[in-house]
PDB file of all heavy atoms in Angstrom:
ATOM      1  N   GLY B 943     -17.819  58.568-118.257  1.00 74.00           N
ATOM      2  CA  GLY B 943     -17.195  58.299-116.972  1.00 74.00           C
ATOM      3  C   GLY B 943     -17.889  58.876-115.773  1.00 74.00           C
ATOM      4  O   GLY B 943     -17.767  58.423-114.645  1.00 74.00           O
ATOM      5  N   LYS B 944     -18.712  59.896-116.009  1.00 77.00           N
ATOM      6  CA  LYS B 944     -19.463  60.475-114.902  1.00 77.00           C
ATOM      7  C   LYS B 944     -20.749  59.682-114.720  1.00 77.00           C
ATOM      8  O   LYS B 944     -21.480  59.445-115.715  1.00 77.00           O
ATOM      9  CB  LYS B 944     -19.825  61.930-115.169  1.00 77.00           C
ATOM     10  CG  LYS B 944     -18.703  62.874-114.899  1.00 77.00           C
ATOM     11  CD  LYS B 944     -19.181  64.281-115.105  1.00 77.00           C
ATOM     12  CE  LYS B 944     -18.044  65.299-115.043  1.00 77.00           C
ATOM     13  NZ  LYS B 944     -18.486  66.632-115.461  1.00 77.00           N
ATOM     14  N   GLU B 945     -21.025  59.302-113.540  1.00 80.00           N
ATOM     15  CA  GLU B 945     -22.163  58.450-113.265  1.00 80.00           C
ATOM     16  C   GLU B 945     -23.236  59.174-112.459  1.00 80.00           C
ATOM     17  O   GLU B 945     -22.910  59.972-111.579  1.00 80.00           O
ATOM     18  CB  GLU B 945     -21.740  57.170-112.506  1.00 80.00           C
ATOM     19  CG  GLU B 945     -21.557  56.006-113.395  1.00 80.00           C
ATOM     20  CD  GLU B 945     -21.419  54.719-112.553  1.00 80.00           C
ATOM     21  OE1 GLU B 945     -21.628  54.764-111.351  1.00 80.00           O
ATOM     22  OE2 GLU B 945     -21.087  53.695-113.186  1.00 80.00           O
ATOM     23  N   TRP B 946     -24.411  58.897-112.754  1.00 80.00           N
ATOM     24  CA  TRP B 946     -25.481  59.276-111.801  1.00 80.00           C
ATOM     25  C   TRP B 946     -26.503  58.145-111.764  1.00 80.00           C
ATOM     26  O   TRP B 946     -26.579  57.294-112.633  1.00 80.00           O
ATOM     27  CB  TRP B 946     -26.175  60.606-112.197  1.00 80.00           C
ATOM     28  CG  TRP B 946     -26.798  60.612-113.587  1.00 80.00           C
ATOM     29  CD1 TRP B 946     -26.194  61.033-114.698  1.00 80.00           C
ATOM     30  CD2 TRP B 946     -28.122  60.197-113.921  1.00 80.00           C
ATOM     31  NE1 TRP B 946     -27.057  60.926-115.793  1.00 80.00           N
ATOM     32  CE2 TRP B 946     -28.257  60.411-115.332  1.00 80.00           C
ATOM     33  CE3 TRP B 946     -29.195  59.678-113.194  1.00 80.00           C
ATOM     34  CZ2 TRP B 946     -29.426  60.164-115.992  1.00 80.00           C
ATOM     35  CZ3 TRP B 946     -30.360  59.430-113.900  1.00 80.00           C
ATOM     36  CH2 TRP B 946     -30.469  59.625-115.272  1.00 80.00           C
ATOM     37  N   GLU B 947     -27.184  58.126-110.681  1.00 80.00           N
ATOM     38  CA  GLU B 947     -28.215  57.084-110.581  1.00 80.00           C
ATOM     39  C   GLU B 947     -29.415  57.641-109.771  1.00 80.00           C
ATOM     40  O   GLU B 947     -29.306  58.579-109.021  1.00 80.00           O
ATOM     41  CB  GLU B 947     -27.633  55.804-109.952  1.00 80.00           C
ATOM     42  CG  GLU B 947     -27.022  55.986-108.571  1.00 80.00           C
ATOM     43  CD  GLU B 947     -26.498  54.659-108.079  1.00 80.00           C
ATOM     44  OE1 GLU B 947     -25.641  54.032-108.725  1.00 80.00           O
ATOM     45  OE2 GLU B 947     -26.980  54.238-107.003  1.00 80.00           O
ATOM     46  N   THR B 948     -30.533  56.954-109.987  1.00 82.00           N
ATOM     47  CA  THR B 948     -31.719  57.326-109.244  1.00 82.00           C
ATOM     48  C   THR B 948     -32.554  56.048-109.100  1.00 82.00           C
ATOM     49  O   THR B 948     -32.285  55.024-109.711  1.00 82.00           O
ATOM     50  CB  THR B 948     -32.487  58.437-110.001  1.00 82.00           C
ATOM     51  OG1 THR B 948     -33.573  58.848-109.184  1.00 82.00           O
ATOM     52  CG2 THR B 948     -33.053  57.935-111.290  1.00 82.00           C
ATOM     53  N   VAL B 949     -33.575  56.163-108.294  1.00 80.00           N
ATOM     54  CA  VAL B 949     -34.456  54.970-108.094  1.00 80.00           C
ATOM     55  C   VAL B 949     -35.874  55.301-108.518  1.00 80.00           C
ATOM     56  O   VAL B 949     -36.332  56.458-108.430  1.00 80.00           O
ATOM     57  CB  VAL B 949     -34.430  54.492-106.619  1.00 80.00           C
ATOM     58  CG1 VAL B 949     -33.131  53.842-106.313  1.00 80.00           C
ATOM     59  CG2 VAL B 949     -34.719  55.647-105.675  1.00 80.00           C
ATOM     60  N   LEU B 950     -36.554  54.309-108.931  1.00 80.00           N
ATOM     61  CA  LEU B 950     -37.974  54.418-109.329  1.00 80.00           C
ATOM     62  C   LEU B 950     -38.746  53.336-108.572  1.00 80.00           C
ATOM     63  O   LEU B 950     -38.157  52.347-108.137  1.00 80.00           O
ATOM     64  CB  LEU B 950     -38.123  54.255-110.826  1.00 80.00           C
ATOM     65  CG  LEU B 950     -37.502  55.391-111.602  1.00 80.00           C
ATOM     66  CD1 LEU B 950     -36.969  54.931-112.900  1.00 80.00           C
ATOM     67  CD2 LEU B 950     -38.500  56.533-111.818  1.00 80.00           C
ATOM     68  N   THR B 951     -40.024  53.558-108.465  1.00 76.00           N
ATOM     69  CA  THR B 951     -40.776  52.633-107.607  1.00 76.00           C
ATOM     70  C   THR B 951     -41.485  51.549-108.324  1.00 76.00           C
ATOM     71  O   THR B 951     -42.215  50.778-107.732  1.00 76.00           O
ATOM     72  CB  THR B 951     -41.814  53.445-106.791  1.00 76.00           C
ATOM     73  OG1 THR B 951     -42.536  54.199-107.712  1.00 76.00           O
ATOM     74  CG2 THR B 951     -41.126  54.263-105.749  1.00 76.00           C
ATOM     75  N   SER B 952     -41.373  51.450-109.626  1.00 78.00           N
ATOM     76  CA  SER B 952     -41.877  50.246-110.254  1.00 78.00           C
ATOM     77  C   SER B 952     -40.856  49.787-111.314  1.00 78.00           C
ATOM     78  O   SER B 952     -39.901  50.506-111.597  1.00 78.00           O
ATOM     79  CB  SER B 952     -43.230  50.543-110.944  1.00 78.00           C
ATOM     80  OG  SER B 952     -43.080  51.544-111.903  1.00 78.00           O
ATOM     81  N   ARG B 953     -41.045  48.600-111.782  1.00 81.00           N
ATOM     82  CA  ARG B 953     -40.080  48.016-112.663  1.00 81.00           C
ATOM     83  C   ARG B 953     -39.971  48.799-113.984  1.00 81.00           C
ATOM     84  O   ARG B 953     -40.963  49.191-114.567  1.00 81.00           O
ATOM     85  CB  ARG B 953     -40.430  46.570-112.961  1.00 81.00           C
ATOM     86  CG  ARG B 953     -40.179  45.734-111.734  1.00 81.00           C
ATOM     87  CD  ARG B 953     -40.308  44.272-112.087  1.00 81.00           C
ATOM     88  NE  ARG B 953     -41.690  43.863-112.248  1.00 81.00           N
ATOM     89  CZ  ARG B 953     -42.057  42.620-112.484  1.00 81.00           C
ATOM     90  NH1 ARG B 953     -41.145  41.693-112.630  1.00 81.00           N
ATOM     91  NH2 ARG B 953     -43.343  42.298-112.631  1.00 81.00           N
ATOM     92  N   ILE B 954     -38.744  48.993-114.401  1.00 84.00           N
ATOM     93  CA  ILE B 954     -38.510  49.752-115.615  1.00 84.00           C
ATOM     94  C   ILE B 954     -38.646  48.752-116.800  1.00 84.00           C
ATOM     95  O   ILE B 954     -37.966  47.725-116.805  1.00 84.00           O
ATOM     96  CB  ILE B 954     -37.124  50.407-115.599  1.00 84.00           C
ATOM     97  CG1 ILE B 954     -37.055  51.405-114.450  1.00 84.00           C
ATOM     98  CG2 ILE B 954     -36.806  51.057-116.933  1.00 84.00           C
ATOM     99  CD1 ILE B 954     -35.668  51.817-114.095  1.00 84.00           C
ATOM    100  N   LEU B 955     -39.488  49.096-117.731  1.00 84.00           N
ATOM    101  CA  LEU B 955     -39.715  48.193-118.860  1.00 84.00           C
ATOM    102  C   LEU B 955     -38.768  48.527-120.007  1.00 84.00           C
ATOM    103  O   LEU B 955     -38.229  47.671-120.649  1.00 84.00           O
ATOM    104  CB  LEU B 955     -41.150  48.295-119.327  1.00 84.00           C
ATOM    105  CG  LEU B 955     -42.188  47.787-118.318  1.00 84.00           C
ATOM    106  CD1 LEU B 955     -43.605  48.035-118.850  1.00 84.00           C
ATOM    107  CD2 LEU B 955     -41.966  46.328-118.036  1.00 84.00           C
ATOM    108  N   THR B 956     -38.678  49.806-120.254  1.00 85.00           N
ATOM    109  CA  THR B 956     -37.839  50.169-121.378  1.00 85.00           C
ATOM    110  C   THR B 956     -37.171  51.515-121.119  1.00 85.00           C
ATOM    111  O   THR B 956     -37.715  52.319-120.331  1.00 85.00           O
ATOM    112  CB  THR B 956     -38.616  50.190-122.678  1.00 85.00           C
ATOM    113  OG1 THR B 956     -37.775  50.538-123.755  1.00 85.00           O
ATOM    114  CG2 THR B 956     -39.782  51.146-122.646  1.00 85.00           C
ATOM    115  N   ALA B 957     -36.066  51.731-121.750  1.00 85.00           N
ATOM    116  CA  ALA B 957     -35.359  52.986-121.559  1.00 85.00           C
ATOM    117  C   ALA B 957     -34.907  53.520-122.900  1.00 85.00           C
ATOM    118  O   ALA B 957     -34.789  52.744-123.865  1.00 85.00           O
ATOM    119  CB  ALA B 957     -34.159  52.765-120.652  1.00 85.00           C
ATOM    120  N   ALA B 958     -34.712  54.782-122.948  1.00 85.00           N
ATOM    121  CA  ALA B 958     -34.190  55.384-124.172  1.00 85.00           C
ATOM    122  C   ALA B 958     -33.384  56.625-123.784  1.00 85.00           C
ATOM    123  O   ALA B 958     -33.622  57.167-122.713  1.00 85.00           O
ATOM    124  CB  ALA B 958     -35.347  55.725-125.159  1.00 85.00           C
ATOM    125  N   GLY B 959     -32.566  57.020-124.617  1.00 83.00           N
ATOM    126  CA  GLY B 959     -31.778  58.208-124.252  1.00 83.00           C
ATOM    127  C   GLY B 959     -31.247  58.897-125.483  1.00 83.00           C
ATOM    128  O   GLY B 959     -31.188  58.347-126.582  1.00 83.00           O
ATOM    129  N   SER B 960     -30.899  60.143-125.282  1.00 82.00           N
ATOM    130  CA  SER B 960     -30.188  60.869-126.296  1.00 82.00           C
ATOM    131  C   SER B 960     -29.095  61.645-125.528  1.00 82.00           C
ATOM    132  O   SER B 960     -28.932  61.469-124.342  1.00 82.00           O
ATOM    133  CB  SER B 960     -31.125  61.829-127.028  1.00 82.00           C
ATOM    134  OG  SER B 960     -31.494  62.878-126.148  1.00 82.00           O
ATOM    135  N   CYS B 961     -28.390  62.506-126.260  1.00 79.00           N
ATOM    136  CA  CYS B 961     -27.343  63.236-125.569  1.00 79.00           C
ATOM    137  C   CYS B 961     -27.918  64.173-124.545  1.00 79.00           C
ATOM    138  O   CYS B 961     -27.262  64.609-123.597  1.00 79.00           O
ATOM    139  CB  CYS B 961     -26.510  64.010-126.582  1.00 79.00           C
ATOM    140  SG  CYS B 961     -25.602  62.918-127.663  1.00 79.00           S
ATOM    141  N   ASP B 962     -29.161  64.573-124.720  1.00 80.00           N
ATOM    142  CA  ASP B 962     -29.750  65.525-123.801  1.00 80.00           C
ATOM    143  C   ASP B 962     -30.645  64.942-122.736  1.00 80.00           C
ATOM    144  O   ASP B 962     -30.705  65.413-121.646  1.00 80.00           O
ATOM    145  CB  ASP B 962     -30.624  66.536-124.623  1.00 80.00           C
ATOM    146  CG  ASP B 962     -29.805  67.346-125.537  1.00 80.00           C
ATOM    147  OD1 ASP B 962     -28.637  67.632-125.159  1.00 80.00           O
ATOM    148  OD2 ASP B 962     -30.276  67.705-126.631  1.00 80.00           O
ATOM    149  N   VAL B 963     -31.351  63.879-123.120  1.00 84.00           N
ATOM    150  CA  VAL B 963     -32.318  63.359-122.160  1.00 84.00           C
ATOM    151  C   VAL B 963     -32.197  61.852-122.022  1.00 84.00           C
ATOM    152  O   VAL B 963     -31.670  61.185-122.943  1.00 84.00           O
ATOM    153  CB  VAL B 963     -33.782  63.652-122.560  1.00 84.00           C
ATOM    154  CG1 VAL B 963     -34.066  65.126-122.471  1.00 84.00           C
ATOM    155  CG2 VAL B 963     -34.087  63.093-123.938  1.00 84.00           C
ATOM    156  N   VAL B 964     -32.644  61.391-120.872  1.00 86.00           N
ATOM    157  CA  VAL B 964     -32.737  59.956-120.654  1.00 86.00           C
ATOM    158  C   VAL B 964     -34.194  59.730-120.209  1.00 86.00           C
ATOM    159  O   VAL B 964     -34.700  60.454-119.367  1.00 86.00           O
ATOM    160  CB  VAL B 964     -31.798  59.503-119.510  1.00 86.00           C
ATOM    161  CG1 VAL B 964     -32.045  58.036-119.176  1.00 86.00           C
ATOM    162  CG2 VAL B 964     -30.368  59.716-119.929  1.00 86.00           C
ATOM    163  N   CYS B 965     -34.851  58.792-120.807  1.00 86.00           N
ATOM    164  CA  CYS B 965     -36.231  58.554-120.352  1.00 86.00           C
ATOM    165  C   CYS B 965     -36.435  57.058-120.151  1.00 86.00           C
ATOM    166  O   CYS B 965     -35.847  56.244-120.857  1.00 86.00           O
ATOM    167  CB  CYS B 965     -37.227  59.172-121.267  1.00 86.00           C
ATOM    168  SG  CYS B 965     -37.148  58.581-122.933  1.00 86.00           S
ATOM    169  N   VAL B 966     -37.271  56.760-119.201  1.00 86.00           N
ATOM    170  CA  VAL B 966     -37.590  55.378-118.964  1.00 86.00           C
ATOM    171  C   VAL B 966     -39.092  55.235-118.775  1.00 86.00           C
ATOM    172  O   VAL B 966     -39.750  56.160-118.291  1.00 86.00           O
ATOM    173  CB  VAL B 966     -36.878  54.828-117.661  1.00 86.00           C
ATOM    174  CG1 VAL B 966     -35.423  54.743-117.900  1.00 86.00           C
ATOM    175  CG2 VAL B 966     -37.228  55.674-116.476  1.00 86.00           C
ATOM    176  N   ALA B 967     -39.576  54.102-119.182  1.00 86.00           N
ATOM    177  CA  ALA B 967     -41.016  53.805-118.980  1.00 86.00           C
ATOM    178  C   ALA B 967     -41.126  52.668-117.998  1.00 86.00           C
ATOM    179  O   ALA B 967     -40.417  51.672-118.134  1.00 86.00           O
ATOM    180  CB  ALA B 967     -41.692  53.453-120.315  1.00 86.00           C
ATOM    181  N   CYS B 968     -42.014  52.854-117.032  1.00 81.00           N
ATOM    182  CA  CYS B 968     -42.155  51.833-115.999  1.00 81.00           C
ATOM    183  C   CYS B 968     -43.424  51.043-116.166  1.00 81.00           C
ATOM    184  O   CYS B 968     -44.314  51.396-116.956  1.00 81.00           O
ATOM    185  CB  CYS B 968     -42.172  52.486-114.626  1.00 81.00           C
ATOM    186  SG  CYS B 968     -40.649  53.343-114.318  1.00 81.00           S
ATOM    187  N   GLU B 969     -43.485  50.025-115.368  1.00 78.00           N
ATOM    188  CA  GLU B 969     -44.575  49.122-115.435  1.00 78.00           C
ATOM    189  C   GLU B 969     -45.925  49.784-115.166  1.00 78.00           C
ATOM    190  O   GLU B 969     -46.960  49.418-115.731  1.00 78.00           O
ATOM    191  CB  GLU B 969     -44.362  48.042-114.377  1.00 78.00           C
ATOM    192  CG  GLU B 969     -44.897  46.706-114.729  1.00 78.00           C
ATOM    193  CD  GLU B 969     -44.369  45.721-113.737  1.00 78.00           C
ATOM    194  OE1 GLU B 969     -44.337  46.027-112.556  1.00 78.00           O
ATOM    195  OE2 GLU B 969     -44.022  44.625-114.171  1.00 78.00           O
ATOM    196  N   LYS B 970     -45.896  50.734-114.270  1.00 75.00           N
ATOM    197  CA  LYS B 970     -47.168  51.308-113.893  1.00 75.00           C
ATOM    198  C   LYS B 970     -47.548  52.450-114.807  1.00 75.00           C
ATOM    199  O   LYS B 970     -48.161  53.441-114.406  1.00 75.00           O
ATOM    200  CB  LYS B 970     -47.118  51.759-112.456  1.00 75.00           C
ATOM    201  CG  LYS B 970     -47.171  50.585-111.499  1.00 75.00           C
ATOM    202  CD  LYS B 970     -46.847  50.953-110.119  1.00 75.00           C
ATOM    203  CE  LYS B 970     -46.868  49.711-109.243  1.00 75.00           C
ATOM    204  NZ  LYS B 970     -46.108  49.853-108.030  1.00 75.00           N
ATOM    205  N   ARG B 971     -47.135  52.335-116.074  1.00 79.00           N
ATOM    206  CA  ARG B 971     -47.483  53.286-117.128  1.00 79.00           C
ATOM    207  C   ARG B 971     -46.913  54.652-116.847  1.00 79.00           C
ATOM    208  O   ARG B 971     -47.449  55.631-117.238  1.00 79.00           O
ATOM    209  CB  ARG B 971     -49.006  53.380-117.287  1.00 79.00           C
ATOM    210  CG  ARG B 971     -49.602  52.033-117.728  1.00 79.00           C
ATOM    211  CD  ARG B 971     -51.067  52.205-118.086  1.00 79.00           C
ATOM    212  NE  ARG B 971     -51.896  52.478-116.977  1.00 79.00           N
ATOM    213  CZ  ARG B 971     -52.534  53.610-116.753  1.00 79.00           C
ATOM    214  NH1 ARG B 971     -52.457  54.575-117.672  1.00 79.00           N
ATOM    215  NH2 ARG B 971     -53.238  53.811-115.686  1.00 79.00           N
ATOM    216  N   MET B 972     -45.827  54.651-116.148  1.00 80.00           N
ATOM    217  CA  MET B 972     -45.228  55.955-115.789  1.00 80.00           C
ATOM    218  C   MET B 972     -44.038  56.196-116.722  1.00 80.00           C
ATOM    219  O   MET B 972     -43.270  55.306-116.940  1.00 80.00           O
ATOM    220  CB  MET B 972     -44.771  55.931-114.369  1.00 80.00           C
ATOM    221  CG  MET B 972     -45.657  56.774-113.505  1.00 80.00           C
ATOM    222  SD  MET B 972     -45.161  56.835-111.850  1.00 80.00           S
ATOM    223  CE  MET B 972     -43.509  56.193-111.830  1.00 80.00           C
ATOM    224  N   LEU B 973     -43.934  57.389-117.163  1.00 83.00           N
ATOM    225  CA  LEU B 973     -42.804  57.769-117.997  1.00 83.00           C
ATOM    226  C   LEU B 973     -42.031  58.826-117.244  1.00 83.00           C
ATOM    227  O   LEU B 973     -42.599  59.822-116.815  1.00 83.00           O
ATOM    228  CB  LEU B 973     -43.347  58.310-119.349  1.00 83.00           C
ATOM    229  CG  LEU B 973     -42.285  58.707-120.337  1.00 83.00           C
ATOM    230  CD1 LEU B 973     -41.575  57.479-120.892  1.00 83.00           C
ATOM    231  CD2 LEU B 973     -42.947  59.499-121.491  1.00 83.00           C
TER     232      LEU B 973
END
Side-chain angles (χ1 to χ4, degrees):
Chain B
K944 279 184 190 171
E945 261 192 9
W946 58 266
E947 57 180 58
T948 186
V949 287
L950 292 148
T951 51
S952 60
R953 287 191 285 184
I954 298 165
L955 294 176
T956 181
S960 71
C961 293
D962 295 327
V963 293
V964 173
C965 59
V966 291
C968 299
E969 212 170 40
K970 287 168 183 159
R971 297 189 291 114
M972 253 183 13
L973 182 70

